[in-house]
Amino acid sequence: MRALPATAGRGAVACAAAPVPRRSLLLSTAAAGAALNAEQLPLRLTGGAAAKIRAPADAAQAVTFTSTDDALAWTNKDNRRLLHVVYRVGDLDKTIKFYTECLGMKVLRKRDIPEEKYTNAFLGYGPEDSHFAIELAYNYGVDKYDIGAGFGHFGIGVNDVAKTVELVRAKGGKVTREPGPVKGGKTVIAFVEDPDGYKFEILERPGTPEPLCQVMLRVGDLDRAISFYEKACGMELLRKRDNPEYKYTVAMMGYGPEEKNAVLELTYNYGVSEYAKGNAYAQIAIGTDDVYKTAEVVKLFGGQVVREPGPLPGISTKITAILDPDGWKSVFVDNIDFAKELE
């Protein structure tokens, strides 16, 4: 897939992707693998409105939806929330230092798996059972990754944008956009970069209960992406804003009000239909009550399941992994199993 330039200042410079060693990561499956470059699938109903879909995994876990309405009704009742976002870094200690000292995060947990040659660190602003978190993945010996042009930024809500920016600057961080009102709006924002080049949008949101509030990804067909995340993933379109002056449109998708929950920000740049994704950003993890039913709903609405539902090898945590129409990966994690992970 070739990199296409993004417009209106919302793009990123793509470079050649470096190879990533395959790692077996709990929940994160942090190695990119071929899945991120899999063929994009159009949004369609498979087998008609009355299709009956059965899971091929385990007879005891067979799932049948008698109609698309049946599938949508179950999805809307499922207990879902964004759990964490997973991406790769070249120097774990340096990144942790930046996030804790400059952005005010806390290390929630950390695990090293020397036999598989990787380390994970979870950081955020509150307990993982009630807050969105970051999962950093460090693969031994890999010090650099290609972020690509498709990934946009993470969003962090703070009490005072200017003070946060000055702290980042004082600690030697890179400020790429000085504090000021967002184009076409009133919210005060700024942009900074972490040591690996990941961009963070700093938003002025005093007293927000969920400071880690956004993951922005670029898509080639916004209506198609919105439909997929609504139907296949059970998200709600919280708001949509078109900015013809700067030739882009954004849609906020999530499982609850934007001011209280982390959201997925989908950005469409006029005339750009595909992006190079690189090998740095991995996926978002989403909680669900049933990974088997989740996988069948995704298939029913034209999504691609790249890991069939079931327990991870050696442990009981059940997951399923999917790709959206643009090739962005999400991993659904069983809610009960995830809670056990945190005990």
Side-chain angles (χ1 to χ4, degrees), residues 1 35-44 219-221 224 273-277 302-304 323-328:
M1 181 183 294
L36 290 178
N37 295 317
E39 181 180 358
Q40 299 174 12
L41 295 179
L43 182 61
R44 64 183 184 276
V219 298
D221 185 326
R224 179 184 65 177
S273 60
E274 60 180 332
Y275 297 90
K277 293 180 176 59
Q304 184 177 359
L323 297 182
D324 77 0
D326 288 274
W328 294 115

Side-chain angles (χ1 to χ4, degrees), residues 10 150-156 191 198-201 203 214-218 265 267:
R10 307 217 22 122
F151 170 78
H153 62 259
F154 305 112
I156 295 179
F191 275 89
Y198 291 101
K199 290 182 172 61
F200 283 80
E201 181 179 14
L203 304 98
Q214 294 176 0
V215 176
M216 192 276 261
L217 303 174
R218 298 181 177 91
E265 178 182 350
T267 296

Side-chain angles (χ1 to χ4, degrees), residues 236-254:
E236 178 184 356
L237 175 61
L238 302 171
R239 64 184 173 98
K240 185 178 179 182
R241 185 182 77 249
D242 183 42
N243 196 325
E245 180 181 358
Y246 297 101
K247 298 183 179 180
Y248 72 87
T249 308
V250 298
M252 300 295 187
M253 310 290 299

Side-chain angles (χ1 to χ4, degrees), residues 122-145:
F122 293 78
L123 295 94
Y125 294 98
E128 286 182 73
D129 59 1
S130 57
H131 288 74
F132 191 51
I134 283 172
E135 179 183 348
L136 301 176
Y138 169 69
N139 291 302
Y140 292 9
V142 183
D143 60 7
K144 190 174 182 180
Y145 295 94

Side-chain angles (χ1 to χ4, degrees), residues 22 28-29 31-41 228 282-283 294-296 298-299 302-310 319-324 327-332:
R22 182 180 178 87
S28 68
T29 55
L36 290 178
N37 295 317
E39 181 180 358
Q40 299 174 12
L41 295 179
F228 178 83
Q283 66 221 19
T294 292
E296 294 315 309
V298 169
K299 293 174 183 177
Q304 184 177 359
V305 175
V306 293
R307 188 198 189 280
E308 290 294 334
I319 71 166
T320 188
I322 71 167
L323 297 182
D324 77 0
W328 294 115
K329 188 177 181 182
S330 296
V331 173
F332 285 86

Side-chain angles (χ1 to χ4, degrees), residues 24 26 307 310-317:
S24 173
L26 176 60
R307 188 198 189 280
L312 286 165
I315 61 174
S316 61
T317 302

